[in-house]
Amino acid sequence: MAGETNGAIVLESTEHIPIAQLNPELSAPATRAIKAVVTLTWPYSSATGSVAFLLSEPDFRLRRARGQVRVRFSGSSAKAIAASGIASGDEVILCLDGVEWVPDNDTVATPGRGIEHELKFTERLLLQVGFTTS
């Protein structure tokens, strides 16, 4: 419980930035976070030990102009994400502390995705989820 409280305090103190502003030269990533909606999921793969999401700006009008990013989780972060039950439509706040910038060399692009990198998290992850109800 104390870890959850500390994480919530850290997330409250981060600066939320638009997805379009994400880049490897971003200063002080540990103090930055993005607020996004999960729009697509790649389920946990035991073969690769990873899971991924396409995160999009909550305001759909901002998604076409660099308003989406693919985020991949591996290692212990992937196991935590897989156990969390996060799904399409859930809103997340993702702290950039521990992010690794992976150039996006996919030949098949997701429409509207826009930024040139994929975000990768391995062992360090601070994420808050607002689950949707159906």
Side-chain angles (χ1 to χ4, degrees):
M1 186 77 162
E4 291 175 14
T5 303
N6 292 338
I9 291 169
V10 170
L11 279 174
E12 286 178 14
S13 67
T14 59
E15 176 188 355
H16 293 197
I17 64 168
I19 292 173
Q21 291 181 9
L22 293 175
N23 68 70
E25 289 79 38
L26 188 67
S27 63
T31 64
R32 312 283 180 107
I34 58 171
K35 185 175 185 177
V37 174
V38 177
T39 53
L40 186 61
T41 61
W42 287 266
Y44 180 78
S45 165
S46 57
T48 62
S50 67
V51 62
F53 298 132
L54 182 64
L55 297 182
S56 302
E57 285 289 347
D59 182 346
F60 71 91
R61 296 171 291 187
L62 301 175
R63 294 178 186 173
R64 292 185 59 145
R66 297 176 39 94
Q68 299 184 79
V69 62
R70 186 172 191 257
V71 182
R72 185 171 20 123
F73 305 92
S74 61
S76 60
S77 68
K79 291 177 183 173
I81 292 291
S84 72
I86 298 172
S88 292
D90 292 336
E91 190 169 282
V92 298
I93 299 174
L94 175 63
C95 181
L96 298 177
D97 190 13
V99 70
E100 179 183 338
W101 301 89
V102 179
D104 187 3
N105 297 324
D106 272 346
T107 55
V108 178
T110 305
R113 190 154 115 206
I115 77 163
E116 298 79 20
H117 289 80
E118 175 179 293
L119 307 182
K120 182 180 177 187
F121 292 87
T122 306
E123 300 303 323
R124 186 171 185 83
L125 178 65
L126 185 55
L127 177 84
Q128 180 179 345
V129 183
F131 293 102
T132 58
T133 56
S134 354

